[in-house]
Amino acid sequence: MGLSERKQQILQVAIEDYISSSSPITSGSLKTLTSLDCSTATLRSELNALEAMGYLRQLHTSGGRVPTAMGYRYYVGSMLGNFKATNKELEKVRALIEQKTASLSDLISSIAKTIGQATNYPTVVMASGVENLVLQDFQIIPLLSQEVLVLIGTGSGYINERLNISASKRECDDAARFFKKRFVGKTIADMTEAFEEGSLTEEIESFQNIVDCLVSGLKRFNKRKILDIQKSGAVKLLESGEIEKAKHIFAVLEDEEELIEVLDAQEGDELIVSVAENEDELSVVKLPLKVGSVELSVGVIGPQRMDYGGVSAALKLLADELENIKGGEGP
């Protein structure tokens, strides 16, 4: 439903003020918050009209209005298209992303941390397509703790695996040479499939224990869906007194199946905003991203009155910044 320019401005002010202060909007507060050249009576009439259209609702007779789910959706869909972040916000996001790291897990964690800090809401990053990473290097190092450290280089960063086995330096060197010879240029899926077929038994006899542990570790890595969860935003909700909402968010963050369901619902490659139908449910802003061959789904979770503008801007900025990070597969 189309809205006049004045109604759009009033709705925007009503929503943004409620997001920041939790205060219902009144004609008097509108007069203070806007530069509209009209009387309080006219503003009251506009609020009545927005309520009748379903964008606002009145908490009680003669009280102020608060946004409805329909109002939030209109705000997200029609009013945030030209949202521009400040240079300061842009530099903050860029600085965090450009902290170079050799670890794929660290990179994914930094993405979640960046968004969590930028939005002050809980952020979840889910990865898929790990099995399609192209292998570029293998380093296998015996440790003094009777363990073996394996560093697997890919175009999207290193994967670190710590194997709880004891092996000599010679066994580790032999295993590293074997993996480089056989699997550089192939995917993790190709490698695990080769060992499942059992065709390499004779070649790996002298370092069988390293191979068995490494393949098992990679299979577990492939199956991990949720790679990073930043909960600090839920703590901020607790500090603001919204205890019940924070408890609900914490419960969702502990339920991996529910998180996967929330983040899997992607359509295309655009930012998606799912506004909660009522105040007891959670809203989600999510965006698919790609780092090399790894497909990420980044989701920000919050209450119905979450700051959709700020969250959307942070995710869009992250997507733009990631495009400038050289990844991809191959040498």
Side-chain angles (χ1 to χ4, degrees), residues 308-326:
Y308 299 104
V311 172
S312 299
L315 287 177
K316 289 176 181 178
L317 280 172
L318 178 63
D320 290 341
E321 290 300 309
L322 280 178
E323 288 182 0
N324 297 325
I325 296 177
K326 292 185 178 179

Side-chain angles (χ1 to χ4, degrees), residues 101-107 133 136-139 150-161 221:
T101 175
S103 167
L104 175 60
S105 295
D106 286 349
L107 175 59
L133 287 171
Q136 296 182 346
D137 188 28
F138 290 87
Q139 298 180 41
V150 181
L151 301 175
I152 304 174
T154 76
S156 298
Y158 272 88
I159 296 173
N160 305 335
E161 281 292 319
F221 188 83

Side-chain angles (χ1 to χ4, degrees), residues 128-317:
S128 60
V130 174
E131 68 276 8
N132 297 320
L133 287 171
V134 174
L135 302 166
Q136 296 182 346
D137 188 28
F138 290 87
Q139 298 180 41
I140 304 178
I141 306 163
L143 304 176
L144 294 176
S145 57
Q146 303 300 305
E147 293 179 308
V148 170
L149 175 64
V150 181
L151 301 175
I152 304 174
T154 76
S156 298
Y158 272 88
I159 296 173
N160 305 335
E161 281 292 319
R162 212 175 179 99
L163 309 181
N164 190 24
I165 58 172
S166 177
S168 67
K169 185 176 186 305
R170 179 174 179 177
E171 289 173 328
C172 291
D173 290 344
D174 288 345
R177 279 193 294 270
F178 166 78
F179 281 116
K180 288 179 182 179
K181 179 181 177 182
R182 279 280 187 170
F183 298 111
V184 166
K186 296 185 178 179
T187 66
I188 290 178
D190 293 333
M191 186 175 77
T192 55
E193 183 179 343
F195 288 111
E196 287 175 353
E197 293 174 353
S199 59
L200 305 173
T201 305
E202 293 185 6
E203 294 182 63
I204 63 176
E205 186 175 354
S206 62
F207 44 86
Q208 181 80 50
N209 58 339
I210 296 177
V211 171
D212 290 344
C213 286
L214 176 57
V215 173
S216 296
L218 288 176
K219 287 180 179 178
R220 289 193 300 271
F221 188 83
N222 287 347
K223 290 179 181 178
R224 284 187 68 196
K225 274 285 192 179
I226 304 300
L227 289 189
D228 203 275
I229 302 173
Q230 294 289 328
K231 300 181 180 180
S232 59
V235 175
K236 291 183 182 298
L237 283 176
L238 280 173
E239 294 172 348
S240 69
E242 298 187 84
I243 296 175
E244 292 305 315
K245 289 184 175 65
K247 286 181 178 178
H248 188 190
I249 289 176
F250 275 123
V252 172
L253 295 177
E254 294 297 326
D255 189 336
E256 185 169 307
E257 289 187 4
E258 185 170 353
L259 285 175
I260 291 172
E261 183 177 345
V262 166
L263 296 182
D264 265 345
Q266 295 285 342
E267 299 177 7
D269 59 357
E270 295 299 320
L271 183 142
I272 299 173
V273 181
S274 300
V275 177
E277 289 295 335
N278 58 67
E279 292 185 0
D280 296 327
E281 297 176 352
L282 299 179
S283 294
V284 181
V285 182
K286 53 193 172 183
L287 181 71
L289 299 171
K290 197 163 185 178
V291 180
S293 294
V294 180
E295 296 174 358
L296 305 179
S297 180
V298 181
V300 179
I301 299 172
Q304 188 189 56
R305 67 177 192 88
M306 73 189 295
D307 181 4
Y308 299 104
V311 172
S312 299
L315 287 177
K316 289 176 181 178
L317 280 172

